[in-house]
């Protein structure tokens, strides 16, 4: 790998290389045979985390491959050396979540877990993300999210403000000449195929997280050549992903968290009706929202409104730090909303504007997800998960409130139905999930593995979204790359949910 990398960095400045699919890879690809991409060595982008050493450059690709002579994009690339002095020759390429997360900015998260212990790490910031101008960041939407903390989550008036922010971002980007329809999973999969060819890499491994798994599954279906193995961590199968699809993950996480409390004697004795209590609070707050004020570090006092929808989405965030979940629900039920409000308001932190590529999220969701589910199907998915929740809560999919209205404003064409195809592959794949994952439930790792012949499924009890950040999870992943047929999974049985915090009984 290092010899190939040296050749790239010294000899490809003026070379144009083409990644054209052939055989099985060409099936359904829909990419013209004449599109050209080239890698150009260059300085690392300012988004590279401090202290990270890497060789950098950018991949030049057409914005829209249907118009190869049109606008060009420069996708930031960083190659981080392995930690060991004698690495294996097959590197790992990293696909982050979102869609909209910047891969280069996330490098430290990966290297700190040791995933590049024995292999170089290849990182390319996806088209539209912060390190790869034109970035589809939307400060207008960031400002709306900050404001939303003090609004009713489910109110139509809140939805209208969101649509206004989406429209403002769209108008600005369209005014800059951005083709919003060109930012999608199909184009990004082709970017990856082009990158491997341009870097002269014969074979590499894929590490993907969250939306990155949707991209990985699409990539391995369309361009299987040169992929040695794949890890999908927190799985989003493209064949089923829709707004309403998110309800199943929330339900699975909720059941597993409340079940874990019931399995711990102290938690069961102190919070015997945790699931029922949370459900009652969703209904109570939706009928009678609570308004309070909290102090956010770096921001100051902030107004917070908690209604049923806010509480459901707070639970998604609470799954990452679940120890005080029963305590927070109990306090809320007894008239103390402060703990929930503080955690809900933690989404408002300074320096977050213009970082996440909301425009890429919208281009993907509005072309690949929303058109393939009716509003009735979305509501039915919510009712199936939580039949006693108020309709106004169920009408807004977790983390995707008022997305259908936003998509009408974003106005991108529907993706070709081939984007929804099931990925069938013999590439060795590790589907790894956490049982507390409220964003991409563990069930979806098992689902994706059904059509991946050489797959291994691992679920870590009590772990939320992002298993790679868990010591056992990172060990399973790194040993999978060493032996895709037999990773070291001995630590899995010892992973347990954290002990839940036991608060004093009421009255206090």
């Amino acid at each position: 790998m290092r010899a190939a990398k040296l050749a790239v960095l010294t000899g490809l400045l003026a070379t144009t290389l083409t990644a054209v699919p052939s055989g099985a890879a060409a099936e359904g690809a829909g990419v013209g045979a004449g599109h050209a991409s080239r890698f150009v060595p260059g300085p690392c982008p300012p988004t590279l985390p401090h202290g990270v050493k890497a060789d950098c450059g950018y991949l030049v690709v057409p914005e829209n491959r249907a118009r190869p002579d049109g606008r060009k994009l420069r996708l930031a690339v960083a190659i981080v050396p392995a930690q060991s002095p004698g690495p294996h020759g097959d590197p790992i390429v990293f696909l982050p979540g979102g869609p909209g997360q910047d891969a280069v900015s996330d490098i430290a998260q990966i290297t700190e877990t040791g995933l590049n212990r024995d292999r170089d790490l290849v990182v390319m910031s996806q088209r539209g993300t912060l390190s790869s101008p034109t970035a589809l960041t939307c400060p207008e939407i960031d400002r709306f999210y900050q404001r939303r903390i003090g609004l009713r989550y489910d109110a139509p008036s809140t939805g209208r403000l969101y649509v206004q922010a989406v429209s403002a971002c769209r108008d600005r980007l369209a005014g800059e000449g951005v083709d919003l329809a060109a930012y999608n999973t199909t184009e990004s999969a082709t970017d990856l195929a082009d990158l491997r060819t341009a870097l002269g890499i014969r074979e590499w491994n894929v590490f993907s997280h969250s939306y990155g798994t949707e991209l990985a599954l699409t990539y391995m279906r369309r361009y299987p050549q040169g992929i040695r193995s794949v890890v999908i961590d927190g799985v989003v199968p493209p064949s089923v992903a829709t707004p309403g699809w998110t309800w199943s993950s929330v339900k699975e996480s909720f059941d597993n968290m409340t079940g874990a409390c019931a399995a711990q004697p102290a938690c069961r004795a102190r919070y015997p009706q945790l699931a029922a209590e949370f459900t009652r609070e969703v209904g109570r707050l939706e009928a009678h929202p609570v308004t309070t004020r909290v102090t956010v570090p770096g921001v100051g006092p902030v107004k917070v409104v908690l209604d049923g929808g806010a509480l459901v989405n707070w639970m998604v965030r609470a799954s990452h730090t679940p120890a005080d979940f029963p305590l927070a629900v109990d306090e809320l039920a007894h008239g103390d909303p402060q703990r929930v409000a503080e955690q809900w308001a933690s989404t408002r932190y300074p320096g977050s504007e213009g970082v996440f590529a909301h425009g890429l999220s919208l281009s993907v969701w509005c072309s690949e997800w929303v058109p393939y589910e009716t509003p009735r199907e979305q509501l039915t998915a919510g009712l199936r998960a939580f039949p006693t929740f108020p309709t106004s809560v169920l009408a807004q999919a977790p983390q995707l409130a008022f997305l259908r209205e936003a998509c009408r404003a974003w106005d991108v064409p529907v993706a070709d139905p081939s984007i929804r195809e099931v990925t069938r592959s013999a590439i060795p794949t590790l589907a790894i999930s956490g049982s507390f994952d409220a964003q991409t439930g563990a069930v979806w790792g098992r689902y994706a593995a059904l059509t991946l012949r050489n797959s291994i499924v691992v679920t870590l009890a009590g772990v939320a979204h992002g298993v790679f950040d868990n010591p056992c999870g990172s060990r399973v992943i790194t040993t999978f790359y060493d032996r895709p047929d037999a990773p070291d999974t001995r630590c899995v049985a010892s992973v347990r949910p954290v002990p839940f915090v036991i608060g004093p009984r009421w009255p206090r």
Side-chain angles (χ1 to χ4, degrees):
M1 165 61 186
R2 288 188 174 171
K5 182 171 63 178
L6 181 62
V8 166
L9 297 177
T10 57
L12 292 183
L13 183 61
T15 302
T16 298
L17 292 153
T18 304
V20 180
S22 61
E27 184 178 348
V31 178
H35 77 268
S37 301
R38 67 184 188 278
F39 178 79
V40 180
C44 291
T47 50
L48 186 75
H50 178 73
V52 172
K53 297 185 183 301
D55 294 310
C56 299
Y58 50 87
L59 184 73
V60 181
V61 298
E63 181 183 49
N64 187 331
R65 287 180 168 86
R67 295 194 291 271
D69 296 329
R71 182 186 177 107
K72 298 296 188 293
L73 303 177
R74 295 184 173 192
L75 310 182
V77 177
I79 303 173
V80 182
Q83 296 170 358
S84 63
H88 298 289
D90 49 298
I92 297 170
V93 63
F94 168 49
L95 313 183
Q101 191 64 33
D102 182 54
V104 168
S105 301
D106 278 355
I107 287 176
Q109 274 190 291
I110 303 303
T111 57
E112 286 169 3
T113 66
L115 292 186
N116 67 321
R117 182 192 64 196
D118 299 316
R119 288 175 169 79
D120 291 351
L121 181 67
V122 179
V123 178
M124 179 171 68
S125 284
Q126 187 178 352
R127 55 173 58 212
T129 59
L130 184 63
S131 298
S132 298
T134 299
L136 271 59
T137 54
C138 294
E140 303 91 341
I141 296 177
D142 290 320
R143 289 190 289 271
F144 162 76
Y145 284 148
Q146 293 174 2
R147 183 180 178 187
R148 186 177 64 179
I149 295 166
L151 304 171
R152 288 201 61 165
Y153 187 89
D154 297 324
S157 57
T158 302
R160 288 191 290 272
L161 290 174
Y162 176 45
V163 172
Q164 289 173 13
V166 168
S167 297
C169 183
R170 189 198 193 287
D171 291 346
R172 177 175 54 77
L173 291 172
E176 296 170 6
V178 176
D179 180 1
L180 297 175
Y183 295 79
N184 55 58
T185 306
T186 298
E187 292 284 356
S188 291
T190 308
D191 293 339
L192 286 168
D194 283 0
L195 178 65
R196 186 187 64 81
T197 303
L199 291 179
I201 297 171
R202 184 183 67 85
E203 190 175 58
W204 65 8
N205 307 277
V206 175
F207 173 69
S208 60
H209 169 56
S210 194
Y211 165 74
T213 69
E214 181 177 356
L215 176 56
L217 289 164
T218 302
Y219 171 48
M220 64 195 288
R221 175 169 58 82
R222 299 173 72 93
Y223 301 100
Q225 69 274 26
I227 304 176
R228 174 179 175 268
S229 68
V230 177
V231 172
I232 46 178
D233 175 359
V235 183
V236 183
S239 58
V240 296
T242 58
W245 165 82
T246 60
W247 280 111
S248 66
S249 297
V250 174
K251 174 62 172 174
E252 184 178 7
S253 174
F254 177 72
D255 287 348
N256 287 338
M257 286 201 293
T258 56
C261 175
Q264 296 178 16
C267 191
R268 181 175 65 248
R270 178 63 185 83
Y271 310 108
Q273 300 295 323
L274 177 60
E277 194 167 52
F278 179 86
T279 301
R280 284 195 299 270
E281 286 304 294
V282 170
R284 183 181 71 85
L285 290 178
E286 189 67 3
H288 305 286
V290 169
T291 300
T292 186
R293 299 189 73 83
V294 302
T295 299
V296 176
V299 177
V302 173
K303 174 188 172 185
V304 178
V305 174
L306 297 176
D307 62 3
L311 187 61
V312 170
N313 285 270
W314 163 80
M315 192 227 89
V316 174
R317 295 183 59 80
S319 66
H320 289 266
T321 53
D324 62 352
F325 171 70
L327 174 62
V329 173
D330 186 64
E331 289 175 340
L332 182 65
H334 286 86
D336 182 2
Q338 209 66 13
R339 190 181 303 270
V340 172
E342 287 175 354
Q343 293 176 1
W344 182 234
S346 67
T347 56
R348 180 175 180 174
Y349 54 91
S352 60
E353 281 190 23
V355 174
F356 186 82
H358 296 288
L360 176 59
S361 298
L362 289 164
S363 285
V364 170
W365 291 335
C366 295
S367 64
E368 301 171 17
W369 288 29
V370 169
Y372 291 95
E373 178 185 63
T374 67
R376 179 179 292 277
E377 289 169 338
Q378 177 182 326
L379 182 60
T380 299
L383 283 165
R384 187 181 304 118
F386 295 98
T388 63
F389 278 6
T391 302
S392 56
V393 173
L394 296 175
Q396 305 305 330
Q399 302 184 88
L400 302 175
F402 301 102
L403 179 59
R404 292 182 182 278
E405 294 86 344
C407 285
R408 286 195 286 271
W410 197 248
D411 191 26
V412 290
V414 177
D416 187 275
S418 64
I419 196 64
R420 310 282 301 177
E421 290 179 10
V422 171
T423 298
R424 304 179 188 277
S425 176
I427 297 171
T429 304
L430 171 65
I432 189 165
S433 308
S435 71
F436 282 10
D437 188 343
Q439 291 153 270
T440 54
V443 65
W444 299 112
R446 298 190 295 272
Y447 170 87
L450 291 174
T451 54
L452 303 174
R453 293 202 306 274
N454 295 321
S455 61
I456 296 172
V457 178
V458 172
T459 302
L460 298 190
V463 177
H465 194 55
V467 175
F468 71 92
D469 206 26
N470 177 276
C472 177
S474 64
R475 176 167 181 77
V476 173
I477 292 168
T478 53
T479 59
F480 169 78
Y481 288 131
D482 292 337
R483 294 191 60 186
D485 60 334
D488 184 355
T489 60
R490 289 173 294 177
C491 62
V492 174
S494 65
V495 178
R496 292 284 186 271
V498 297
F500 292 104
V501 176
I502 307 302
R505 292 186 180 275
W506 300 89
R508 297 178 182 176

